[in-house]
């Protein structure tokens, strides 16, 4: 049975959201409506990609606003370099749009770091902290403290939130161009990893991380990230939730779900009251970052180099195998003709001599 809010028809609310969710579509709608005052400032004016999950299907990312979307939903058309085409992104600027997206089973909300009015200037730096597979959340927390120390050393401050998965995101509001923001992000990640190289790394290639926490500095200009307060398509439907620095050591990602967060909203300030005002980046930090290769590009070139090395090694092994096969064939032919090693020459056929009877 359906219902209606803000003129948006809400349907199939009692359907299971997805396997392992432990939640219904109604739970998603109720949660997003309850946090609308907190999540909308994170989405407003930013090109939005969502991850939807239809009943009985795999989740999928949707960037293009569907043609059947109501005309009152704002949008912006941009060239998407990754797909080499124009994309009409939704703008989730109000509660009604948020409810419509929720009714479309849009679970995750991934806005750009910049506003439509000035796409070349991200409003935040984002450092993504990704613990190794199977690693405890405490490793991510320890790495977050490294980043906070690196920020403090540069005269900057940031706020922290759970990613809604297994890691953490640190947001640093800035006044900077896209290139400056990207360079500063690389410098901060590198400085943080240098504080404890046994714990953290900036190595983009997984095989090079050696079980350490990855400090991802590539979520810079042009990237998207799961918004604060966005649900995630994970068992239990966890939420990307801001926490105070003084509380970060005592929380786990599972503490924040579409069910549990509802009881935490009373008195909760946006970003737990810890998101600072936009800051000017120190010029020396930007210059330091400009000298650091972009991790994703560096990894791409390194991956190509390693592939060439593997291909050359495989070609050499194939050549050796071919030579070995040729040697075996020659040996076999030699044996069949009687010249093989370890064998006596085949005796020549001779007619027996005829003996006369005496």
């Amino acid at each position: 049975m359906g219902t209606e809010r803000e003129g948006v028809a809400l349907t199939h609310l009692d359907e299971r959201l997805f396997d392992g969710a432990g939640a219904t579509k109604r739970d998603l709608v109720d949660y997003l409506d309850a946090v609308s005052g907190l999540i909308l400032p994170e989405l407003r004016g930013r090109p939005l990609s969502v991850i939807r999950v239809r009943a009985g299907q795999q989740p999928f990312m949707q960037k293009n606003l569907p043609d059947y979307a109501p005309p009152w939903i704002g949008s912006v058309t941009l060239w998407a370099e990754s797909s080499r085409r124009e994309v009409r992104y939704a703008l989730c600027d109000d509660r009604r749009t948020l409810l419509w997206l929720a009714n479309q089973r849009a679970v995750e909300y991934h806005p750009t770091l910049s506003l439509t009015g000035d796409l070349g200037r991200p409003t935040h730096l984002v450092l993504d902290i990704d613990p190794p597979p199977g690693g405890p959340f405490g490793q991510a927390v320890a790495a977050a403290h490294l980043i906070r120390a690196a920020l403090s050393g540069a005269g900057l401050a940031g706020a922290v939130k759970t990613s809604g998965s297994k890691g953490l995101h640190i947001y640093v509001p800035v006044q900077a161009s896209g290139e400056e923001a990207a360079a500063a992000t690389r410098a901060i990640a590198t400085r943080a990893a240098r504080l404890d190289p046994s714990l953290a790394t900036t190595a983009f290639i997984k095989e090079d991380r050696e079980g350490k926490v990855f400090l991802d500095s590539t979520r810079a200009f042009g990237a998207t990230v799961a918004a604060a307060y966005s649900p995630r398509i994970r068992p239990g439907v966890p939420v990307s939730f801001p926490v105070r620095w003084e509380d970060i050591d005592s929380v786990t990602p599972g503490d924040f779900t579409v069910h549990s967060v509802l009881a935490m909203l009373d008195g909760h300030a946006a970003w737990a009251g810890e998101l600072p005002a936009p800051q000017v980046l120190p010029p020396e930090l930007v210059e330091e970052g400009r000298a650091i290769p972009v991790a994703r590009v560096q990894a791409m070139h390194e991956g190509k180099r390693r592939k060439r090395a593997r291909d050359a090694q495989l070609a050499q092994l194939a050549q050796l195998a071919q030579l070995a096969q040729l040697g075996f064939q020659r040996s076999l032919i030699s044996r069949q003709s009687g010249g093989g090693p370890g064998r006596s020459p085949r005796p020549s056929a001779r007619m027996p001599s005829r003996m006369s009877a005496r």
Side-chain angles (χ1 to χ4, degrees), residues 124-244:
H124 304 80
L125 309 183
V126 175
L127 292 117
D128 186 355
I129 302 171
D130 187 16
F137 183 65
Q139 284 185 303
V141 171
H145 287 303
L146 296 181
I147 291 176
R148 190 185 189 194
L151 287 170
S152 179
L156 299 170
V160 63
K161 69 181 180 72
T162 62
S163 68
S165 181
K166 59 181 180 177
L168 292 162
H169 295 154
I170 295 178
Y171 273 49
V172 185
V174 294
Q175 295 175 347
S177 69
E179 185 274 333
E180 291 168 340
T185 306
R186 293 194 297 273
I188 293 164
T190 300
R191 288 185 182 186
R194 200 181 295 140
L195 292 174
D196 189 350
S198 66
L199 170 68
T201 180
T202 58
F204 193 83
I205 299 175
K206 291 182 179 180
E207 293 78 10
D208 296 344
R209 296 177 191 169
E210 301 176 336
K212 301 175 185 178
V213 179
F214 175 43
L215 307 183
D216 187 356
S217 62
T218 64
R219 296 191 181 274
F221 179 59
T224 65
V225 67
Y229 308 101
S230 172
R232 305 300 301 272
I233 301 177
R234 304 284 191 278
V237 201
V239 170
S240 182
F241 199 75
V243 293
R244 296 183 301 176

Side-chain angles (χ1 to χ4, degrees), residues 42-325:
E42 307 298 314
L43 307 179
R44 190 174 287 122
R46 300 175 188 271
L48 178 65
S49 301
V50 296
I51 299 183
R52 296 172 58 193
V53 56
R54 292 176 175 144
Q57 298 183 21
Q58 291 297 309
F60 63 97
M61 176 167 277
Q62 180 173 293
K63 296 184 177 182
N64 252 319
L65 184 65
D67 292 337
Y68 58 80
W72 42 260
I73 292 182
S75 65
V76 59
T77 300
L78 302 172
W79 176 260
E81 190 63 34
S82 58
S83 54
R84 305 293 299 174
R85 63 189 177 96
E86 285 191 332
V87 174
R88 187 168 71 110
Y89 292 92
L91 296 174
C92 188
D93 291 345
D94 51 48
R95 178 178 174 237
R96 184 163 62 155
T97 300
L98 184 63
L99 288 170
W100 185 86
L101 289 168
N103 191 60
Q104 296 293 305
R105 304 175 73 99
V107 179
E108 298 193 14
Y109 295 76
H110 295 248
T112 59
L113 299 181
S114 54
L115 298 165
T116 54
D118 198 351
L119 291 170
R121 296 181 67 85
T123 55
H124 304 80
L125 309 183
V126 175
L127 292 117
D128 186 355
I129 302 171
D130 187 16
F137 183 65
Q139 284 185 303
V141 171
H145 287 303
L146 296 181
I147 291 176
R148 190 185 189 194
L151 287 170
S152 179
L156 299 170
V160 63
K161 69 181 180 72
T162 62
S163 68
S165 181
K166 59 181 180 177
L168 292 162
H169 295 154
I170 295 178
Y171 273 49
V172 185
V174 294
Q175 295 175 347
S177 69
E179 185 274 333
E180 291 168 340
T185 306
R186 293 194 297 273
I188 293 164
T190 300
R191 288 185 182 186
R194 200 181 295 140
L195 292 174
D196 189 350
S198 66
L199 170 68
T201 180
T202 58
F204 193 83
I205 299 175
K206 291 182 179 180
E207 293 78 10
D208 296 344
R209 296 177 191 169
E210 301 176 336
K212 301 175 185 178
V213 179
F214 175 43
L215 307 183
D216 187 356
S217 62
T218 64
R219 296 191 181 274
F221 179 59
T224 65
V225 67
Y229 308 101
S230 172
R232 305 300 301 272
I233 301 177
R234 304 284 191 278
V237 201
V239 170
S240 182
F241 199 75
V243 293
R244 296 183 301 176
W245 280 107
E246 64 188 67
D247 297 331
I248 194 67
D249 292 280
S250 60
V251 302
T252 67
D255 293 341
F256 310 103
T257 72
V258 292
H259 297 298
S260 63
V261 164
L262 297 178
M264 305 177 187
L265 297 179
D266 188 22
H268 173 81
W271 276 95
E274 298 210 346
L275 192 68
Q279 303 152 92
V280 176
L281 294 172
E284 62 274 14
L285 183 73
V286 174
E287 287 304 314
E288 180 182 331
R290 284 173 174 153
I292 299 171
V294 178
R296 193 183 300 273
V297 176
Q298 185 182 37
M300 179 184 67
H301 291 308
E302 177 63 16
K304 289 180 178 179
R305 186 196 68 78
R306 294 184 186 185
K307 183 179 185 301
R308 287 194 298 268
R310 286 195 300 269
D311 290 345
Q313 185 178 31
L314 290 173
Q316 186 178 24
L317 291 173
Q319 188 177 25
L320 291 173
Q322 189 176 21
L323 290 173
Q325 179 68 17

